[in-house]
Amino acid sequence: MDIAQHPTPPMATGHRTITPSILYVGTPVALLTTANEDGTDNLAPISSVWALGQIVVLGLGAEGQTARNLRERSDLVISLPSPDMWEHVERLAPLTGRFPVPPGKPAGCRYEADKFGVAGLAPQRSELVRPSRVAGCPLQFEARAARVSQGVADWYVTVEAEVLRVHADPAVVVPGTQHIDPAAWSPLIYNFRHYFGLGPELGHSHRTDTPRSA
């Protein structure tokens, strides 16, 4: 074994036992568009999202308009904003598309019907589903909720959504391929309620389709 290539990991320095109020250790932000009963769009930011192959798993507040819409209408769009869009995302944070405002919403939350307008974002027509994509987001997934499940705690639900079509800005695609270029694409990261982008690349997985030399 080449010791220079496999340095000894640092020794533990002694951990503290803490009780943080939230555990957002650094997760991507997504903007979810769902269809209201009257056919209009509801737009909501979330930070509990991860993928299993072509399935995207979402964590949502059980009493919000997004969860209500997905229980009744399965179409949705998952738009992934870039770091420079964080202020638009934050404008959505205190808004709800449900009236009256559900009692479980944080203090200061208010109802807003035109979330696209208030956030300074523009809708973009989808191809396979009813809700709109968010123009300007480098990645947009048209999807359909296959299952909406009550969480272990009654205040949230989990949604398993099958991605039907992926729209990608050419700037984040490896030319001549179907692959997203991880050096060109940078998600907006929600890190303990602060917004971040990615730092420099450290390396890649042995399973990557887009390897690069050091």
Side-chain angles (χ1 to χ4, degrees), residues 13-37:
T13 56
H15 289 67
R16 290 178 55 203
T17 298
I18 64 172
T19 308
S21 60
I22 44 97
L23 298 175
Y24 294 112
V25 294
T27 55
V29 173
L31 297 175
L32 299 189
T33 320
T34 56
N36 294 319
E37 186 176 9

Side-chain angles (χ1 to χ4, degrees), residues 32 34 36 41-45 64-66 88 91-98 105 109-122:
L32 299 189
T34 56
N36 294 319
D41 287 325
N42 182 66
L43 182 63
Q65 185 66 20
T66 298
H88 298 277
R91 290 175 200 167
L92 290 168
L95 307 179
T96 178
R98 188 164 175 185
K105 287 289 186 178
C109 187
R110 64 180 177 84
Y111 167 74
E112 176 57 56
D114 180 18
K115 290 187 179 181
F116 272 98
V118 170
L121 297 168

Side-chain angles (χ1 to χ4, degrees), residues 139-168:
L139 291 177
Q140 306 158 336
F141 302 162
E142 296 188 40
R144 189 161 289 130
R147 181 183 300 164
V148 180
S149 306
Q150 180 62 54
V152 174
D154 61 7
W155 59 267
Y156 75 90
V157 297
T158 58
V159 178
E160 295 171 73
E162 181 182 5
V163 175
L164 307 176
R165 181 159 293 175
V166 174
H167 303 272

Side-chain angles (χ1 to χ4, degrees), residues 125-144:
R125 184 184 297 275
S126 295
E127 297 176 357
L128 300 179
V129 297
R130 185 174 183 177
S132 303
R133 295 178 275 159
V134 179
C137 286
L139 291 177
Q140 306 158 336
F141 302 162
E142 296 188 40
R144 189 161 289 130

